[in-house]
mmCIF file of all heavy atoms in Angstrom:
data_model
loop_
_atom_site.group_PDB
_atom_site.id
_atom_site.type_symbol
_atom_site.label_atom_id
_atom_site.label_comp_id
_atom_site.label_asym_id
_atom_site.label_seq_id
_atom_site.Cartn_x
_atom_site.Cartn_y
_atom_site.Cartn_z
ATOM 1 N N SER O 1077 30.904 -21.474 101.045
ATOM 2 C CA SER O 1077 31.487 -20.186 100.848
ATOM 3 C C SER O 1077 31.790 -19.901 99.389
ATOM 4 O O SER O 1077 32.237 -18.796 99.028
ATOM 5 C CB SER O 1077 32.792 -20.034 101.672
ATOM 6 O OG SER O 1077 33.777 -20.957 101.225
ATOM 7 N N VAL O 1091 9.767 -29.087 81.089
ATOM 8 C CA VAL O 1091 10.790 -28.870 80.044
ATOM 9 C C VAL O 1091 12.209 -28.826 80.602
ATOM 10 O O VAL O 1091 13.172 -28.788 79.851
ATOM 11 C CB VAL O 1091 10.528 -27.512 79.304
ATOM 12 C CG1 VAL O 1091 9.233 -27.581 78.546
ATOM 13 C CG2 VAL O 1091 10.469 -26.371 80.291
ATOM 14 N N THR O 1102 22.250 -19.577 85.710
ATOM 15 C CA THR O 1102 23.554 -18.974 85.977
ATOM 16 C C THR O 1102 23.879 -17.978 84.852
ATOM 17 O O THR O 1102 23.281 -18.018 83.757
ATOM 18 C CB THR O 1102 24.626 -20.042 86.002
ATOM 19 O OG1 THR O 1102 24.724 -20.749 84.757
ATOM 20 C CG2 THR O 1102 24.338 -21.051 87.140
ATOM 21 N N CYS O 1105 27.983 -17.373 79.215
ATOM 22 C CA CYS O 1105 27.951 -18.452 78.234
ATOM 23 C C CYS O 1105 29.006 -18.213 77.195
ATOM 24 O O CYS O 1105 29.169 -17.097 76.673
ATOM 25 C CB CYS O 1105 26.566 -18.523 77.553
ATOM 26 S SG CYS O 1105 26.406 -19.947 76.468
ATOM 27 N N ASP O 1122 26.651 -9.361 84.057
ATOM 28 C CA ASP O 1122 25.251 -8.903 84.161
ATOM 29 C C ASP O 1122 24.436 -9.680 85.201
ATOM 30 O O ASP O 1122 23.302 -9.332 85.482
ATOM 31 C CB ASP O 1122 24.565 -9.075 82.762
ATOM 32 C CG ASP O 1122 25.138 -8.113 81.734
ATOM 33 O OD1 ASP O 1122 25.615 -7.061 82.104
ATOM 34 O OD2 ASP O 1122 25.111 -8.487 80.529
ATOM 35 N N GLY O 1123 25.093 -10.672 85.797
ATOM 36 C CA GLY O 1123 24.411 -11.405 86.874
ATOM 37 C C GLY O 1123 24.739 -10.806 88.214
ATOM 38 O O GLY O 1123 25.481 -9.825 88.324
ATOM 39 N N ARG O 1139 11.423 -26.995 99.001
ATOM 40 C CA ARG O 1139 11.867 -28.398 99.010
ATOM 41 C C ARG O 1139 10.738 -29.391 99.105
ATOM 42 O O ARG O 1139 10.657 -30.335 98.298
ATOM 43 C CB ARG O 1139 12.814 -28.618 100.204
ATOM 44 C CG ARG O 1139 13.416 -30.028 100.204
ATOM 45 C CD ARG O 1139 14.242 -30.296 101.466
ATOM 46 N NE ARG O 1139 14.786 -31.651 101.416
ATOM 47 C CZ ARG O 1139 14.084 -32.742 101.595
ATOM 48 N NH1 ARG O 1139 12.779 -32.714 101.889
ATOM 49 N NH2 ARG O 1139 14.667 -33.935 101.522
ATOM 50 N N VAL O 1143 9.709 -32.148 96.156
ATOM 51 C CA VAL O 1143 9.708 -33.570 96.360
ATOM 52 C C VAL O 1143 8.366 -34.231 96.106
ATOM 53 O O VAL O 1143 8.224 -35.237 95.424
ATOM 54 C CB VAL O 1143 10.205 -33.905 97.794
ATOM 55 C CG1 VAL O 1143 10.029 -35.407 98.122
ATOM 56 C CG2 VAL O 1143 11.652 -33.493 97.986
ATOM 57 N N GLY O 1148 12.717 -31.481 91.343
ATOM 58 C CA GLY O 1148 14.036 -31.269 91.916
ATOM 59 C C GLY O 1148 14.562 -29.938 91.436
ATOM 60 O O GLY O 1148 13.833 -28.978 91.244
ATOM 61 N N LEU O 1151 20.087 -26.815 87.090
ATOM 62 C CA LEU O 1151 20.983 -25.662 86.836
ATOM 63 C C LEU O 1151 21.105 -25.493 85.336
ATOM 64 O O LEU O 1151 21.401 -26.459 84.582
ATOM 65 C CB LEU O 1151 22.363 -25.951 87.438
ATOM 66 C CG LEU O 1151 22.546 -25.478 88.896
ATOM 67 C CD1 LEU O 1151 21.681 -26.335 89.818
ATOM 68 C CD2 LEU O 1151 23.995 -25.543 89.308
ATOM 69 N N HIS O 1176 16.412 -34.287 93.699
ATOM 70 C CA HIS O 1176 16.870 -34.703 92.362
ATOM 71 C C HIS O 1176 17.581 -33.519 91.688
ATOM 72 O O HIS O 1176 17.113 -32.407 91.732
ATOM 73 C CB HIS O 1176 15.727 -35.209 91.519
ATOM 74 C CG HIS O 1176 16.123 -35.634 90.141
ATOM 75 N ND1 HIS O 1176 16.155 -34.784 89.047
ATOM 76 C CD2 HIS O 1176 16.554 -36.853 89.670
ATOM 77 C CE1 HIS O 1176 16.545 -35.450 87.981
ATOM 78 N NE2 HIS O 1176 16.793 -36.675 88.305
ATOM 79 N N ALA O 1178 19.563 -31.856 88.164
ATOM 80 C CA ALA O 1178 19.740 -31.918 86.728
ATOM 81 C C ALA O 1178 20.642 -30.773 86.264
ATOM 82 O O ALA O 1178 20.621 -29.670 86.827
ATOM 83 C CB ALA O 1178 18.378 -31.812 85.998
ATOM 84 N N LEU O 1185 31.705 -27.037 77.322
ATOM 85 C CA LEU O 1185 32.695 -26.997 78.421
ATOM 86 C C LEU O 1185 32.662 -28.237 79.278
ATOM 87 O O LEU O 1185 33.002 -28.228 80.470
ATOM 88 C CB LEU O 1185 32.439 -25.738 79.304
ATOM 89 C CG LEU O 1185 32.539 -24.414 78.598
ATOM 90 C CD1 LEU O 1185 32.235 -23.269 79.587
ATOM 91 C CD2 LEU O 1185 33.915 -24.185 77.962
ATOM 92 N N SER O 1190 33.971 -32.166 86.587
ATOM 93 C CA SER O 1190 34.691 -33.312 87.176
ATOM 94 C C SER O 1190 33.808 -34.496 87.304
ATOM 95 O O SER O 1190 32.569 -34.396 87.257
ATOM 96 C CB SER O 1190 35.213 -32.875 88.563
ATOM 97 O OG SER O 1190 34.114 -32.646 89.431
ATOM 98 N N ASP O 1191 34.387 -35.668 87.499
ATOM 99 C CA ASP O 1191 33.600 -36.875 87.750
ATOM 100 C C ASP O 1191 32.738 -36.708 88.997
ATOM 101 O O ASP O 1191 31.611 -37.219 89.063
ATOM 102 C CB ASP O 1191 34.476 -38.100 87.856
ATOM 103 C CG ASP O 1191 35.080 -38.550 86.511
ATOM 104 O OD1 ASP O 1191 34.709 -37.958 85.468
ATOM 105 O OD2 ASP O 1191 35.890 -39.497 86.535
ATOM 106 N N LEU O 1199 20.665 -36.143 86.382
ATOM 107 C CA LEU O 1199 20.264 -36.149 84.974
ATOM 108 C C LEU O 1199 21.007 -35.008 84.245
ATOM 109 O O LEU O 1199 21.049 -33.893 84.732
ATOM 110 C CB LEU O 1199 18.762 -35.937 84.848
ATOM 111 C CG LEU O 1199 18.167 -35.747 83.432
ATOM 112 C CD1 LEU O 1199 18.292 -37.056 82.653
ATOM 113 C CD2 LEU O 1199 16.713 -35.292 83.509
ATOM 114 N N THR O 1211 27.725 -26.236 60.218
ATOM 115 C CA THR O 1211 26.497 -25.591 60.712
ATOM 116 C C THR O 1211 26.604 -25.238 62.186
ATOM 117 O O THR O 1211 26.174 -24.184 62.633
ATOM 118 C CB THR O 1211 25.293 -26.503 60.459
ATOM 119 O OG1 THR O 1211 25.145 -26.763 59.043
ATOM 120 C CG2 THR O 1211 24.023 -25.869 61.012
ATOM 121 N N LYS O 1214 28.587 -22.086 62.577
ATOM 122 C CA LYS O 1214 27.849 -20.881 62.165
ATOM 123 C C LYS O 1214 26.726 -20.572 63.153
ATOM 124 O O LYS O 1214 26.432 -19.412 63.399
ATOM 125 C CB LYS O 1214 27.278 -21.092 60.760
ATOM 126 C CG LYS O 1214 28.332 -21.156 59.660
ATOM 127 C CD LYS O 1214 27.663 -21.490 58.337
ATOM 128 C CE LYS O 1214 28.699 -21.665 57.223
ATOM 129 N NZ LYS O 1214 28.033 -22.030 55.928
ATOM 130 N N ILE O 1239 18.534 -35.708 75.658
ATOM 131 C CA ILE O 1239 19.046 -34.809 74.619
ATOM 132 C C ILE O 1239 18.029 -33.755 74.291
ATOM 133 O O ILE O 1239 16.808 -34.037 74.165
ATOM 134 C CB ILE O 1239 19.405 -35.609 73.336
ATOM 135 C CG1 ILE O 1239 20.494 -36.658 73.648
ATOM 136 C CG2 ILE O 1239 19.842 -34.675 72.215
ATOM 137 C CD1 ILE O 1239 21.845 -36.077 74.071
ATOM 138 N N VAL O 1306 11.286 -34.986 61.799
ATOM 139 C CA VAL O 1306 12.515 -35.088 62.563
ATOM 140 C C VAL O 1306 12.347 -36.044 63.733
ATOM 141 O O VAL O 1306 13.213 -36.872 64.016
ATOM 142 C CB VAL O 1306 12.967 -33.700 63.037
ATOM 143 C CG1 VAL O 1306 14.124 -33.794 64.025
ATOM 144 C CG2 VAL O 1306 13.341 -32.827 61.818
ATOM 145 N N GLY O 1308 10.405 -38.529 63.863
ATOM 146 C CA GLY O 1308 10.378 -39.869 63.290
ATOM 147 C C GLY O 1308 11.739 -40.415 62.967
ATOM 148 O O GLY O 1308 12.026 -41.628 63.087
#
Side-chain angles (χ1 to χ4, degrees):
S1077 64
V1091 295
T1102 61
C1105 185
D1122 293 332
R1139 185 187 181 285
V1143 171
L1151 271 68
H1176 179 270
L1185 299 179
S1190 66
D1191 285 357
L1199 174 69
T1211 299
K1214 293 176 184 177
I1239 299 296
V1306 172

